Amino acid sequence: MTLGPNDAAADWASDNVAEAVKHEELAALAEEILTAYRTGEPIEPLRDRVADFGLAEAYYVQTEQLKHFLAAGETLAGHKVGLTSLAMQQQLGVDEPDFGFFLKTMVHYDGATLPADDFISPKVEPEFGFVLTEDLEGPGVTVEQAKAAIGKIYPAIEIIDSRIRDWDIKLVDTVADNASCGAIAVSKTPLNVTVDELSEVQCTLRINGEAKVSGTGAAVMGDPIAPLAWLANTLGAQGVSLKAGQLILPGSFTKALPVVSGEEATADFGELGSLTIAFS
C-alpha cells in the first residue's frame, strides 16, 4: 500500500511530536540534576526512566545543563575526558571513555581547601592538565595535531562526584551527569616535562601524604594525547571545537579514591612537580 500525502504528513507530525515529548523528558532529567547540584540531594539513576535512553540522549541532558549555566552567566573553562584508564573503566563497569565540561567557578589551585559538604560523595583522581595554545576542530584531528596544540602541562586533580544516588551508574548515567565532574584543581606551576615524555611519567595519588595508588601516563588510553584527539573529534562531530586557552584534563592515571573532611589529596609527579588540595 502506498501512503498518500495526508498519511505521510501525519507520520511526519507524529514523529515530531514524539521527538518533542522526548526532549521535554530529557530536559526534565537535566533539571533534576541541576536541583541536585543546588540541594546536595542525589537522584535516582536515569538509565531506565526514559525510553531508548542511549548516549545521544545522555549527552543531550548534559548539554542542557551547560546551556543553563552559560545562560546564568557562568564561563566555560574547559573539558574533561573520563574513563580513559582500565582502572577507571573497571571501577565503573564501562568499556569506553566519556567527556564533560567544567566552569571557571569549578577550578581551584595549589593549596586550596574545598568544603567536603559542597559535594555529595567526592572522589579524587590524579591527572595532567593541558592548556591549549591553538584551537582544535574535528573531526579528523590526529594525535600529532593534538600534541602540537598543547602548551604548558600542569599537575591536576579532578574531584569527581555523582548526583546519582550511591554512585549507582552505568555509562549513560555518568554522561548525563556531566561525566561525574565535581570540581577541578590545577597547579599554577607547570610540570617540567615535554609532550613526548608524557606516557613515561609516573604519578602517585597520596591521601594525607600516604601513597595509595600509582600509574603512568601510558595508563591513559595508552598515550595521554590520544584522549585529547578523541575529544576534539567527538565534539567536532557535534559542531563544537576546543579553544586556545582552555584547560583539558585527559583522564586519570589511577582509580579514583574517596575523600572526606580533614583529608588532603596530592597528585605527586616526583621531581617533576605536585599538587595538593585539602577538604574541610
Side-chain angles (χ1 to χ4, degrees):
M1 180 178 67
T2 302
L3 292 179
N6 291 337
D7 296 318
D11 285 346
W12 180 88
S14 178
D15 289 344
N16 278 269
V17 168
E19 183 177 2
V21 169
K22 189 166 190 177
H23 284 176
E24 287 182 5
E25 293 175 333
L26 297 176
L29 294 183
E31 186 56 43
E32 283 192 43
I33 294 173
L34 291 168
T35 299
Y37 274 104
R38 294 190 295 267
T39 65
E41 290 295 325
I43 65 175
E44 298 305 316
L46 308 180
R47 54 188 176 269
D48 298 323
R49 295 169 54 189
V50 173
D52 301 319
F53 191 71
L55 278 177
E57 288 76 19
Y59 279 117
Y60 184 96
V61 173
Q62 182 188 127
T63 301
E64 286 295 292
Q65 295 164 65
L66 178 57
K67 289 178 180 178
H68 168 87
F69 288 126
L70 296 180
E74 297 271 15
T75 301
L76 178 66
H79 302 269
K80 51 89 41 118
V81 184
L83 307 177
T84 53
S85 70
L86 180 61
M88 282 306 301
Q89 289 182 358
Q90 290 176 337
Q91 189 173 4
L92 294 184
V94 301
D95 59 4
E96 60 183 294
D98 66 357
F99 66 86
F101 63 86
F102 50 90
L103 308 166
K104 187 175 181 180
T105 52
M106 296 167 67
V107 180
H108 307 272
Y109 297 96
D110 314 68
T113 297
L114 288 67
D117 287 347
D118 283 356
F119 307 95
I120 295 173
S121 182
K123 301 179 183 184
V124 289
E125 302 175 342
E127 306 200 22
F128 289 122
F130 299 150
V131 175
L132 301 184
T133 56
E134 56 187 78
D135 295 354
L136 283 174
E137 185 172 357
V141 172
T142 66
V143 169
E144 287 303 313
Q145 289 171 325
K147 183 185 297 185
I150 297 173
K152 292 181 178 179
I153 302 162
Y154 294 86
I157 293 173
E158 183 183 0
I159 301 93
I160 62 171
D161 196 21
S162 184
R163 273 62 62 177
I164 310 300
R165 190 179 307 280
D166 299 325
W167 281 95
D168 180 10
I169 57 175
K170 300 296 184 183
L171 181 60
V172 291
D173 296 298
T174 183
V175 165
D177 188 23
N178 191 25
S180 301
C181 188
I184 302 297
V186 60
S187 177
K188 291 184 178 179
T189 304
L191 292 165
N192 183 22
V193 66
T194 68
V195 289
D196 292 320
E197 300 170 316
L198 295 182
S199 292
E200 309 296 324
V201 171
Q202 179 168 325
C203 183
T204 297
L205 178 58
R206 298 180 181 274
I207 304 296
N208 290 341
E210 181 181 351
K212 295 294 186 180
V213 284
S214 297
T216 66
V220 186
M221 282 179 65
D223 177 354
I225 309 297
L228 176 59
W230 175 86
L231 177 64
N233 290 325
T234 302
L235 285 175
Q238 302 176 21
V240 178
S241 61
L242 302 178
K243 300 297 184 182
Q246 287 184 338
L247 175 67
I248 308 296
L249 270 61
S252 179
F253 284 68
T254 69
K255 68 179 182 179
L257 295 180
V259 285
V260 297
S261 176
E263 291 186 326
E264 286 187 343
T266 300
D268 183 359
F269 291 83
E271 62 183 15
L272 298 178
S274 66
L275 167 69
T276 298
I277 58 174
F279 293 85
S280 62

